[in-house]
Amino acid sequence: MPQRVIDAVSDYLKRDNANTGGAYATSRHTDAMIAGARSAMADFLACDPDEVVFGPNMTSLTFAISRSIGRELGPGDEIVLTHLDHDANVSPWRAFEERGVTIRMAEIHEDDCTLDMDDLARNITDRTKLVAVGYASNAVGTINDVKRIIDLAHQRGAMAYIDAVHYAPHGPIDVRALDCDFLVCSTYKFFGPHMGVLYGKRKHLQRLEPYKVRANSNAIPNRWEWGTLNHECIAGITACVDYLADLGRHVNSSASTRRAAVLAAYDAIHKHEHGLMESLMSGLLAIPRVKLYGICDPKRFDQRCPTIAARITGHTPLELATQLGERGFFTWDGNYYALNLTERLDVEKDGGFLRIGLAHYNAPEEVDRFVAALGEIVD
């Protein structure tokens, strides 16, 4: 986490730390800070500030929106999900099976862990009310063609709900260009506090009925935010967007707006991360008995982000992650809540994957040391 984010959280607690809507200075400061954070996320997502909703995390926001959408669903209605997604974009929608809603699951190509777009298109019908899909897989790194998926949903009159949690640290998001109905992300993934952020088209945020206390405003986006928000973490959201913008200005001094600077940052991040990913993939494939999941062809790396799932015969993912951790390398083992995928690929029963992730702050030397360390462990 950048120091400026830590400072923003700390400074808010020291200086303001008041609830909203009060007739005194620290409360007015909080109101202004939240408005500033909405503007920052509006620049990050390419939307308007009143289309930005804050919440404790992506999962909670998705359950909240799904409950409201569910008010309008019943027998005969359908929702399309995928086998590639984090369960936070699966379980909230599957809950409506109890109300007679049909859940359809789009298939994947197991050889490269990509969505079967033909099967997905077949599953979207005139009865489909919503298509929920991830921008990128948090388990195997696949970047989905969300623009095409959104278009397919809209052609049948369905809404599109996009989970961009895993994509957000690696690529720019433009909700207007995508034309998605909802998109959710988590600021801790792009170097901010542990908070969730939801974009919703204004017409949906105004029309859908949230579950809320009576005293809460009916104005958007506040009608979707219940109770006292995590103000100190919201203070850190502006700082994390500004961190990315300053990174963009460092590589492109001509970026004249915060949005332009964020786009410049992601251009640099993409180039740096993909260079590291090519080196990491090459090194991993040279290790005996390794199996990598997802897109492995360098010519198709633009279809994936630098998150790599691996298994090595003779070693469980937990064993590998533990020994790597003892050497100072932090990797994940298990399913990372992408439970449908680990079950589908038949790895859930014996530990899931070893997940190796790269970010813009990693260096080529770290990749070399990691590959050498993993080679020693499995030798």
Side-chain angles (χ1 to χ4, degrees):
M1 181 178 291
Q3 185 62 47
R4 70 173 67 190
V5 176
I6 299 169
D7 291 342
V9 172
S10 176
D11 290 346
Y12 173 81
L13 290 170
K14 289 186 293 185
R15 184 186 63 237
D16 298 320
N17 198 27
N19 217 327
T20 58
Y24 52 92
T26 53
S27 180
R28 290 195 295 270
H29 294 166
T30 296
D31 291 336
M33 177 275 294
I34 294 174
R38 289 198 206 281
S39 293
M41 282 306 304
D43 288 341
F44 183 85
L45 297 170
C47 64
D48 291 328
D50 68 345
E51 296 175 304
V52 172
V53 178
F54 294 126
N57 48 63
M58 174 270 179
T59 304
S60 297
L61 286 167
T62 301
F63 268 110
I65 290 293
S66 70
R67 290 189 187 104
S68 294
I69 291 174
R71 290 177 184 264
E72 303 178 349
L73 301 180
D77 294 328
E78 298 181 356
I79 294 174
V80 177
L81 311 175
T82 88
H83 287 285
L84 202 56
D85 277 274
H86 188 291
D87 205 53
N89 206 23
V90 176
S91 285
W93 310 112
R94 295 202 68 158
F96 297 119
E97 287 181 303
E98 299 173 355
R99 302 184 60 173
V101 174
T102 298
I103 303 297
R104 295 183 177 274
M105 300 294 295
E107 292 295 334
I108 64 169
H109 299 293
E110 293 189 10
D111 58 336
D112 61 2
C113 295
T114 58
L115 285 180
D116 183 334
M117 293 295 291
D118 291 334
D119 184 67
L120 185 141
R122 284 191 295 270
N123 276 288
I124 301 174
T125 73
D126 292 338
R127 293 184 296 276
T128 303
K129 300 302 181 183
L130 181 129
V131 178
V133 66
Y135 209 137
S137 166
N138 73 309
V140 295
T142 304
I143 297 174
N144 293 317
D145 187 352
V146 291
K147 174 59 177 170
R148 183 182 170 198
I149 294 169
I150 293 163
D151 289 344
L152 288 170
H154 288 172
Q155 288 168 18
R156 294 289 193 161
M159 293 186 291
Y161 193 95
I162 307 301
D163 169 10
V165 171
H166 199 71
Y167 180 78
H170 305 294
I173 297 170
D174 187 331
V175 294
R176 289 280 191 269
L178 292 174
D179 194 31
C180 55
D181 297 280
F182 300 94
L183 182 142
V184 276
C185 58
S186 298
T187 57
Y188 78 93
K189 286 284 189 173
F190 48 96
F191 326 114
H194 281 87
M195 288 286 293
V197 179
L198 177 137
Y199 156 78
K201 281 185 176 177
R202 186 179 293 106
K203 65 179 183 180
H204 297 319
L205 296 181
Q206 290 173 334
R207 182 186 64 80
L208 291 169
E209 286 295 324
Y211 288 88
K212 69 178 186 66
V213 297
R214 291 175 297 164
N216 193 17
S217 170
N218 280 316
I220 64 166
N222 310 84
R223 72 197 299 247
W224 294 97
E225 297 169 339
W226 306 282
T228 301
L229 294 173
N230 189 335
H231 299 148
E232 57 269 30
C233 282
I234 294 174
I237 289 176
T238 300
C240 82
V241 175
D242 285 341
Y243 162 75
L244 287 167
D246 281 350
L247 177 61
R249 295 185 186 102
H250 178 73
V251 297
N252 182 2
S253 59
S254 67
S256 58
T257 65
R258 180 160 56 187
R259 175 65 182 174
V262 167
L263 293 178
Y266 275 112
D267 183 61
I269 287 170
H270 175 84
K271 292 174 182 175
H272 178 71
E273 289 182 344
H274 275 242
L276 297 179
M277 180 167 58
E278 289 183 14
S279 178
L280 177 59
M281 281 282 205
S282 176
L284 289 172
L285 289 171
I287 295 175
R289 304 182 304 281
V290 70
K291 177 176 175 57
L292 301 183
Y293 294 79
I295 296 169
C296 295
D297 181 358
K299 295 178 182 177
R300 298 177 59 204
F301 278 178
D302 280 348
Q303 300 171 39
R304 66 165 302 144
C305 58
T307 303
I308 298 171
R311 289 178 61 87
I312 299 177
T313 303
H315 302 269
T316 67
L318 176 58
E319 174 194 343
L320 295 171
T322 300
Q323 293 194 46
L324 286 165
E326 292 169 351
R327 290 164 169 80
F329 298 101
F330 302 163
T331 59
W332 279 102
D333 69 280
N335 60 39
Y336 342 111
Y337 292 85
L339 185 60
N340 282 297
L341 182 61
T342 56
E343 290 177 339
R344 176 60 184 273
L345 297 177
D346 199 31
V347 298
E348 177 65 23
K349 66 182 186 301
D350 52 3
F353 303 117
L354 173 74
R355 185 177 69 174
I356 308 152
L358 295 168
H360 75 288
Y361 50 73
N362 289 123
E365 300 78 27
E366 292 177 296
V367 172
D368 294 340
R369 289 193 292 109
F370 175 83
V371 171
L374 187 58
E376 292 173 1
I377 292 169
V378 303
D379 188 12

